[in-house]
C-alpha cells in the first residue's frame, strides 16, 4: 500500500509538471507568439527548475524522516497552479512593450510563471526516493522504478494535455483541475504520515568507540 | 494539527482565488473597441484558441486567435444583401443561394442576441483585398478566358484559412474560381464552416464542370504540397500563402526556398505565388539607412527565397491605407506586404495587358459608396494614452445632442483612424461631458448597461470616427497597387538587388534591404526574425 501510494504520487506529480509545460505555451503565446523562442524558454526553465528542485529536494529529504515536507511541496505547487488562473495571463499581458518584444522577454516571463511550481514538483523526486528506500541491496531497482514511473507520468502529461485536454477544456479549467488534484494529494500526505525506513545516524559512529 | 489545518486553508484559498478570479484568453472589452461587440462562439484547439466576434456598430465579423484579430468581413453588405442584388445584377448571380441557404451551427453560450451574423464578401481586413492580384496579373490565364478576368477558370490553393475573408473576396470577383484551402487545424476549418454561411454554402457547391468551388484539407501545408501528385491532379494557377501562428509569425518551415520550390512545382508555368508577409523595409525616420528590428529581414528574405526557388519575377505591394502618404510605408515597423512572384515576368513593362486590367480593376463594382458607413464616438484624454472609452454607435449621442456632431471639425491628419475620417473636439471637457451624459442617459432609459469605460470621468476629447467601408476597401486597393507599380522603389530588384546575387546572408550593395538572407531548410528562422 505504502509503495503504491508513493508511486501514485510520483506519476501524478510527473503528469502535472509536463502538463504545465504544454499549458504554459498558452500562457505565453497570446503575448509572445509561438516561435521556437517560446518553446526554448519554456523547456529551459522547466529543466532549470528540475535541476534546482533535485538539489533542494535531496537536502530536505536527508533532514526529514517522514513525508511531511513532501506534502507541503505538492500542496504549495497545487496552490500555484490554482493561482495561475488568476495571475498567469494578466502577468504576460502586463509586461511592457519593451519586454514583450525583446528576445529575452519570453525567458523572463517563463521564469516568473513556471519556476516556482515546477521547482516544487521537481523536489518531489528525491524525497520519494528516500521514502521508497527499504533495502540497500535493492536501491538501484527501487529508484529506477520510481524514475520510470515519474517519467511515464511526464509522457502522459504531455500527450493527454495535447491530444485531449487542450481541445476540450479551457486553459483555466485545466490549471484549476490540476491544482485541485495536487492540492488533494498534498493534503492526503499531510494527513497520512509515512515514515522513512532509513533513519539518519544520530551521531557519527566513530564517537562511540 | 495546526499545520494540517493551515494546509487545508491554503488549498481551499488557492482554489477559491483561482476559480473566482480566473482570466480568459479572449478579452472583448479592450479600450477603444466597439461597445456592442459580442462573441458568437469560442473554441480551443491543439494549436490555438479562437473566437468569432461580431459588432454591428463597427460592421465587422472577425475570427480572433487568442485575442488577436487575424481577419474579418463586413456584416454589411450581408450575404442576403448580395443575393438580393444578384437577383437583378447578372454579375452577382454566382452568389445567389440557389437550392437554399445552408443550415448553420448553433451559436455558442456567449451569444445572447437573436440575430445571427450573415457576412457577405466585403473584407474588413485590408490585406486580403489584394488577393485578386494573383489572378489579374496572370495574363495567360485571363487571355485564355477571352480577356475577361471574371471568366478566368483559376485553380487556387490557399495555405492558411483564417476567417475565410480572403476566400470570400476571391469568390466575389471570380465566379469560375475553384479554391482548395489547406489548414493544419481542423478546428479552424470547422469554426469557419459552422459560422460563416457563405463559406459553408460555397463548400457545398460545384462549378459547371463538376469541380467543387471550395474544398478544405486539414493538413500541414508543407506535407500537402509535398505529396501533391501533379501527374494525376491539375496544377494550380495561384498559390496564396497566408499561414500564420497565433503570434503573427510565419511557421518557419513554410518560409524556405525548398518549400517555395515545391509550391512552384504544383504551379502552372505562368502561375503566381501570392504571399502575405508582415514585414518592413528597415528604414527609420531618423536615418534613411538605419535598420530597425529584424522584421525587414523576413520581407527581404521572402523575396530572395522566392527567387532562389525559381520564381524570379517578384513584385511587392505594401498594403497602404488611404490616410497614409505614399512614403510612410518606408519607415513603418511592420505591416502587411503582398509579395507576388512568378516564373513569368510580372513587371509593368513586360506584362502590359495584365497591368492594364489591374489598373482598371474596381473592387466590389456592384456596391455603392455611402451605403456601408459606420459612425462611432469615443472619449479620450490628451496626454494620457491609457485613457479611452469603448466606441459607441454615433446614433446614441446624436439623438440626444444633435448639435455636437454638426459643429465638429474633420481631423485630416489623424493617423489613428487610417480607414476613415475622424472629427474631434480636442481638449473640450464640456463637449466630452455632454457626450458622456448622453450615453449614460441612453443606458439609464433601459436600453442596456453602460458601455465599458463610459462611467469613468476625466475625458477632455470627443472623437467621432466615420468609415465608409467600401470606399476604404477601394482606396486600399488603389493605393497599394500604385505602390506596387512603382518597381523602382518596391520591386524585387529595388528591395533585395539582382536575382543573380548568390550570397545567402546578405543582399548586394545598393539594395534597400541590405541584410536580406535566403531562407533554406538548413537556416529557416523566419519565425525568430518576425517579431
Amino acid at each position: 500500500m505504502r509503495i503504491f501510494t508513493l508511486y501514485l504520487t510520483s506519476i501524478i506529480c510527473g503528469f502535472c509538471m509536463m502538463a504545465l509545460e504544454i499549458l504554459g505555451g498558452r500562457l505565453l503565446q497570446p503575448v509572445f507568439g509561438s516561435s521556437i523562442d517560446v518553446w526554448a524558454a519554456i523547456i529551459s526553465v522547466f529543466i532549470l527548475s528540475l535541476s534546482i528542485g533535485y538539489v533542494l529536494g535531496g537536502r530536505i529529504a536527508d533532514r526529514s524522516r517522514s513525508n511531511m515536507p513532501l506534502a507541503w511541496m505538492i500542496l504549495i505547487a497545487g496552490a500555484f497552479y490554482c493561482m495561475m488562473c488568476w495571475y498567469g495571463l494578466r502577468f504576460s499581458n502586463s509586461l511592457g512593450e519593451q519586454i514583450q518584444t525583446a528576445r529575452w522577454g519570453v525567458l523572463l516571463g517563463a521564469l516568473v510563471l513556471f519556476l516556482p511550481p515546477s521547482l516544487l514538483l521537481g523536489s518531489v523526486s528525491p524525497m520519494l526516493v528516500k521514502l521508497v528506500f527499504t533495502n540497500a541491496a535493492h536501491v538501484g531497482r527501487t529508484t529506477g522504478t520510481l524514475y520510470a514511473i515519474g517519467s511515464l507520468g511526464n509522457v502522459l502529461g504531455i500527450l493527454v494535455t495535447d491530444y485531449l485536454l487542450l481541445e476540450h477544456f479551457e486553459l483555466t479549467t485545466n490549471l484549476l483541475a490540476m491544482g485541485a488534484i495536487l492540492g488533494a494529494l498534498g493534503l492526503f500526505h499531510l494527513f497520512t504520515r509515512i515514515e522513512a525506513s532509513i533513519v539518519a545516524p544520530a551521531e557519527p559512529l566513530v564517537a562511540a568507540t | 494539527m495546526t499545520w494540517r489545518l493551515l494546509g487545508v486553508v491554503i488549498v481551499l484559498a488557492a482554489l477559491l482565488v483561482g476559480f473566482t478570479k480566473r482570466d480568459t484568453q479572449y478579452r472583448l472589452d479592450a479600450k477603444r473597441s466597439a461597445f456592442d461587440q459580442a462573441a458568437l462562439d469560442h473554441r480551443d484547439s491543439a494549436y490555438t484558441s479562437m473566437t468569432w466576434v461580431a459588432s454591428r456598430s463597427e460592421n465587422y465579423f472577425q475570427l480572433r486567435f487568442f485575442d488577436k484579430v487575424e481577419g474579418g468581413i463586413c456584416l454589411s453588405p450581408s450575404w442576403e444583401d448580395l443575393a438580393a442584388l444578384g437577383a437583378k445584377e447578372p454579375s452577382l448571380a454566382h452568389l445567389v443561394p440557389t437550392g437554399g441557404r445552408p443550415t448553420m451551427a448553433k451559436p455558442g453560450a456567449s451569444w445572447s442576441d437573436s440575430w445571427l451574423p450573415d457576412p457577405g464578401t466585403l473584407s474588413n481586413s485590408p490585406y486580403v483585398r489584394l488577393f485578386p492580384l494573383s489572378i489579374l496579373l496572370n495574363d495567360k490565364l485571363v487571355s485564355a478566358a477571352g480577356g475577361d478576368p471574371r471568366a478566368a477558370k483559376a485553380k487556387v490553393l490557399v495555405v492558411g484559412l483564417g476567417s475565410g475573408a480572403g476566400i470570400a473576396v476571391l469568390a466575389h470577383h471570380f465566379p469560375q474560381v475553384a479554391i482548395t484551402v489547406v489548414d493544419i487545424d481542423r478546428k479552424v476549418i470547422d469554426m469557419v464552416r459552422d459560422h460563416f454561411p457563405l463559406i459553408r454554402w460555397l463548400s457545398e457547391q460545384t462549378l459547371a464542370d463538376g469541380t467543387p468551388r471550395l474544398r478544405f484539407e486539414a493538413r500541414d501545408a508543407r506535407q500537402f504540397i509535398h505529396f501533391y501528385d501533379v501527374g494525376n491532379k491539375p496544377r494550380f494557377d495561384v498559390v496564396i500563402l497566408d499561414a500564420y501562428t497565433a503570434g503573427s509569425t510565419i511557421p518557419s518551415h513554410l518560409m524556405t526556398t525548398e518549400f517555395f520550390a515545391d509550391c512552384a512545382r504544383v504551379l502552372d508555368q505562368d502561375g503566381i505565388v501570392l504571399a502575405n508577409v508582415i514585414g518592413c523595409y528597415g528604414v527609420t525616420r531618423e536615418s534613411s539607412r538605419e535598420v530597425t528590428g529584424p522584421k525587414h529581414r523576413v520581407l527581404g528574405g521572402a523575396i530572395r527565397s522566392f527567387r532562389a526557388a525559381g520564381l524570379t519575377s517578384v513584385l511587392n505591394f505594401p498594403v497602404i491605407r488611404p490616410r497614409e502618404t505614399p512614403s510612410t510605408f518606408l519607415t513603418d515597423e511592420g505591416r502587411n506586404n503582398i509579395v507576388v512572384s512568378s516564373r513569368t515576368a510580372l513587371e509593368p513593362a513586360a506584362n502590359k495587358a495584365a497591368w492594364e486590367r489591374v489598373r482598371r480593376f474596381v473592387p466590389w463594382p456592384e456596391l455603392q459608396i455611402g451605403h456601408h458607413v459606420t459612425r462611432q464616438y469615443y472619449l479620450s484624454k490628451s496626454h494620457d494614452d491609457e485613457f479611452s472609452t469603448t466606441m459607441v454607435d454615433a446614433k446614441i449621442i446624436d439623438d440626444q445632442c444633435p448639435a455636437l456632431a454638426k459643429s465638429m471639425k474633420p481631423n485630416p491628419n489623424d493617423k489613428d483612424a487610417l480607414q476613415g475620417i475622424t472629427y474631434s473636439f480636442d481638449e473640450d471637457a464640456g463637449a466630452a461631458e455632454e457626450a458622456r451624459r448622453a450615453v449614460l442617459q441612453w443606458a439609464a432609459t433601459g436600453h442596456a448597461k453602460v458601455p465599458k469605460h463610459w462611467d469613468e470621468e476625466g475625458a477632455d476629447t470627443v472623437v467621432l470616427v466615420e468609415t465608409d467601408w467600401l470606399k476604404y476597401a477601394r482606396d486600399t486597393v488603389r493605393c497599394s497597387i500604385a505602390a506596387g507599380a512603382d518597381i523602382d522603389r518596391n520591386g524585387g530588384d529595388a528591395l533585395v538587388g539582382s536575382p543573380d546575387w548568390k550570397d545567402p546572408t546578405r543582399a548586394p550593395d545598393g539594395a534597400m534591404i541590405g541584410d536580406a538572407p535566403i531562407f533554406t531548410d538548413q537556416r529557416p528562422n523566419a519565425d525568430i526574425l518576425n517579431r
Side-chain angles (χ1 to χ4, degrees):
Chain A
M1 186 60 209
R2 162 200 169 98
I3 202 82
F4 174 77
T5 309
L6 295 173
Y7 284 160
L8 189 70
T9 305
S10 171
I11 204 165
I12 290 177
C13 290
F15 182 97
C16 289
M17 175 139 179
M18 283 299 127
L20 182 64
E21 190 164 333
I22 299 290
L23 293 173
R26 288 299 162 84
L27 289 170
L28 296 173
Q29 276 168 4
V31 171
F32 296 101
S34 51
S35 73
I36 195 145
D37 283 352
V38 175
W39 289 109
I42 293 174
I43 294 170
S44 56
V45 165
F46 272 83
I47 303 290
L48 176 73
S49 51
L50 273 182
S51 150
I52 303 174
Y54 289 158
V55 173
L56 214 70
R59 291 184 174 223
I60 296 173
D62 280 352
R63 284 187 198 169
S64 126
R65 292 173 191 188
S66 74
N67 61 343
M68 286 307 113
L70 176 79
W72 283 104
M73 291 290 174
I74 298 175
L75 192 151
I76 294 170
F80 269 111
Y81 274 61
C82 294
M83 300 289 275
M84 227 179 272
C85 300
W86 164 52
Y87 71 78
L89 283 164
R90 283 190 180 88
F91 170 76
S92 306
N93 278 297
S94 68
L95 294 169
E97 198 189 335
Q98 283 278 308
I99 298 174
Q100 287 180 353
T101 52
R103 199 162 174 194
W104 49 265
V106 64
L107 202 56
L108 178 82
L111 264 176
V112 174
L113 287 177
F114 309 130
L115 190 75
S118 55
L119 190 151
L120 290 167
L121 290 180
S123 71
V124 163
S125 285
M127 294 190 210
L128 284 174
V129 168
K130 170 116 180 206
L131 293 172
V132 293
F133 185 91
T134 43
N135 182 342
H138 292 149
V139 64
R141 188 190 297 177
T142 34
T143 50
T145 312
L146 188 72
Y147 284 162
I149 284 176
S151 300
L152 201 66
N154 290 160
V155 172
L156 287 175
I158 294 173
L159 294 181
V160 172
T161 310
D162 181 16
Y163 287 94
L164 285 174
L165 301 181
L166 276 179
E167 296 215 349
H168 295 288
F169 304 101
E170 288 204 351
L171 173 65
T172 46
T173 315
N174 283 322
L175 282 173
L176 209 58
M178 285 175 206
I181 291 170
L182 286 174
L185 183 67
L187 287 180
F188 170 80
H189 279 284
L190 206 56
F191 284 88
T192 322
R193 197 175 173 89
I194 299 175
E195 297 286 342
S197 352
I198 27 164
V199 179
E203 290 296 321
L205 293 173
V206 190
T209 51
Chain B
M1 199 59 217
T2 15
W3 287 109
R4 288 177 173 175
L5 203 62
L6 182 66
V8 174
V9 168
I10 290 178
V11 170
L12 291 180
L15 272 170
L16 190 71
V17 170
F19 185 74
T20 54
K21 303 255 176 190
R22 69 194 155 150
D23 201 6
T24 57
Q25 288 173 85
Y26 54 104
R27 293 182 180 72
L28 296 181
D29 57 345
K31 304 250 175 197
R32 216 178 284 186
S33 54
F35 80 113
D36 62 344
Q37 60 178 351
L40 178 68
D41 201 358
H42 172 81
R43 291 181 198 171
D44 292 298
S45 77
Y47 301 94
T48 190
S49 163
M50 57 202 133
T51 316
W52 269 121
V53 181
S55 159
R56 283 211 276 206
S57 72
E58 203 167 312
N59 196 19
Y60 64 67
F61 185 49
Q62 294 169 338
L63 187 56
R64 297 188 185 171
F65 294 93
F66 292 109
D67 55 358
K68 292 195 173 63
V69 182
E70 303 284 344
I73 316 96
C74 291
L75 287 167
S76 157
S78 65
W79 182 26
E80 204 175 337
D81 296 341
L82 294 175
L85 267 179
K88 291 168 278 174
E89 291 254 8
S91 71
L92 281 180
H94 65 292
L95 296 180
V96 178
T98 44
R101 290 173 56 96
T103 327
M104 304 306 291
K106 285 204 172 64
S110 50
W111 187 258
S112 52
D113 293 351
S114 54
W115 67 286
L116 283 178
D118 179 31
T121 60
L122 184 58
S123 89
N124 186 277
S125 33
Y127 75 94
V128 297
R129 298 166 186 160
L130 293 170
F131 281 9
L133 286 174
S134 60
I135 293 172
L136 293 171
L137 280 169
N138 189 338
D139 185 45
K140 267 256 187 72
L141 178 71
V142 180
S143 294
D148 177 13
R150 293 180 46 84
K153 290 186 174 1
K155 287 180 288 298
V156 179
L157 174 66
V158 180
V159 173
L161 174 60
S163 64
I167 289 152
V169 172
L170 288 173
H172 182 107
H173 294 94
F174 306 102
Q176 299 297 320
V177 75
I179 303 173
T180 304
V181 177
V182 48
D183 196 293
I184 195 166
D185 197 343
R186 171 158 294 287
K187 288 226 165 178
V188 174
I189 296 174
D190 289 345
M191 187 74 158
V192 172
R193 279 167 47 98
D194 283 354
H195 295 301
F196 193 160
L198 174 61
I199 295 286
R200 182 174 201 110
W201 177 74
L202 280 172
S203 71
E204 292 164 356
Q205 299 292 305
T206 53
L207 294 169
D209 63 359
T211 331
R213 288 176 81 175
L214 173 60
R215 55 184 210 95
F216 295 101
E217 289 276 351
R219 286 180 76 181
D220 186 299
R222 185 84 194 241
Q223 267 185 17
F224 175 79
I225 294 180
H226 185 72
F227 292 110
Y228 189 85
D229 181 6
V230 288
N232 292 318
K233 293 179 178 169
R235 289 173 196 265
F236 294 99
D237 299 294
V238 173
V239 174
I240 291 178
L241 301 180
D242 193 16
Y244 273 80
T245 66
S248 296
T249 60
I250 298 172
S252 60
H253 68 297
L254 301 182
M255 183 52 117
T256 69
T257 303
E258 289 88 343
F259 173 64
F260 294 162
D262 228 8
C263 291
R265 184 182 64 82
V266 302
L267 204 61
D268 186 74
Q269 183 58 34
D270 301 290
I272 285 176
V273 176
L274 181 150
N276 166 34
V277 182
I278 298 177
C280 63
Y281 286 12
V283 178
T284 62
R285 282 184 178 78
E286 292 74 37
S287 138
S288 63
R289 292 300 316 159
E290 199 183 317
V291 158
T292 53
K295 257 189 182 145
H296 63 283
R297 301 191 71 196
V298 177
L299 177 60
I303 297 172
R304 292 201 67 201
S305 308
F306 276 124
R307 289 176 147 188
L311 300 159
T312 46
S313 177
V314 182
L315 301 175
N316 183 37
F317 295 84
V319 179
I320 295 180
R321 291 179 288 184
R323 306 290 300 283
E324 297 175 288
T325 60
S327 65
T328 44
F329 62 82
L330 278 176
T331 54
D332 207 24
E333 290 200 12
R335 73 167 59 225
N336 293 97
N337 288 271
I338 297 296
V339 178
V340 178
S341 63
S342 174
R343 282 178 276 243
T344 315
L346 297 173
E347 288 75 10
N351 195 17
K352 285 209 174 77
W355 269 93
E356 197 49 48
R357 287 180 207 115
V358 167
R359 292 203 172 94
R360 278 205 313 265
F361 174 59
V362 180
W364 294 275
E366 304 83 3
L367 304 182
Q368 286 181 347
I369 302 271
H371 284 209
H372 313 286
V373 181
T374 57
R375 296 174 78 248
Q376 300 163 285
Y377 279 107
Y378 69 88
L379 301 182
S380 67
K381 198 173 182 176
S382 17
H383 319 297
D384 183 2
D385 291 343
E386 286 295 301
F387 187 99
S388 177
T389 63
T390 45
M391 311 242 276
V392 300
D393 193 339
K395 261 187 269 158
I396 292 173
I397 292 173
D398 288 345
D399 285 353
Q400 293 178 63
C401 12
L404 193 68
K406 287 203 185 89
S407 51
M408 290 177 106
K409 298 229 160 35
N411 277 349
N413 299 319
D414 183 3
K415 291 206 179 66
D416 284 343
L418 294 164
Q419 78 272 25
I421 296 186
T422 66
Y423 301 83
S424 72
F425 271 129
D426 291 341
E427 304 197 28
D428 184 337
E433 187 56 22
E434 193 184 346
R436 202 173 77 87
R437 288 238 185 81
V439 170
L440 294 179
Q441 177 70 32
W442 169 83
T445 43
H447 293 284
K449 48 182 189 185
V450 178
K452 285 238 166 69
H453 308 302
W454 281 83
D455 45 7
E456 293 167 22
E457 290 181 27
D460 63 1
T461 300
V462 197
V463 185
L464 169 63
V465 186
E466 198 174 275
T467 309
D468 183 319
W469 290 94
L470 178 63
K471 185 172 185 307
Y472 172 28
R474 286 188 182 162
D475 285 350
T476 317
V477 174
R478 183 174 45 77
C479 297
S480 306
I481 286 176
D486 183 3
I487 60 164
D488 293 338
R489 195 178 291 179
N490 304 313
D493 283 359
L495 292 177
V496 300
S498 151
D500 303 327
W501 183 264
K502 298 292 182 228
D503 184 340
T505 56
R506 54 176 300 111
D509 291 339
M512 173 86 76
I513 305 175
D515 50 355
I518 293 178
F519 296 123
T520 58
D521 283 346
Q522 286 289 337
R523 307 183 115 199
N525 298 349
D527 58 339
I528 298 178
L529 295 176
N530 195 348
R531 102 184 52 245

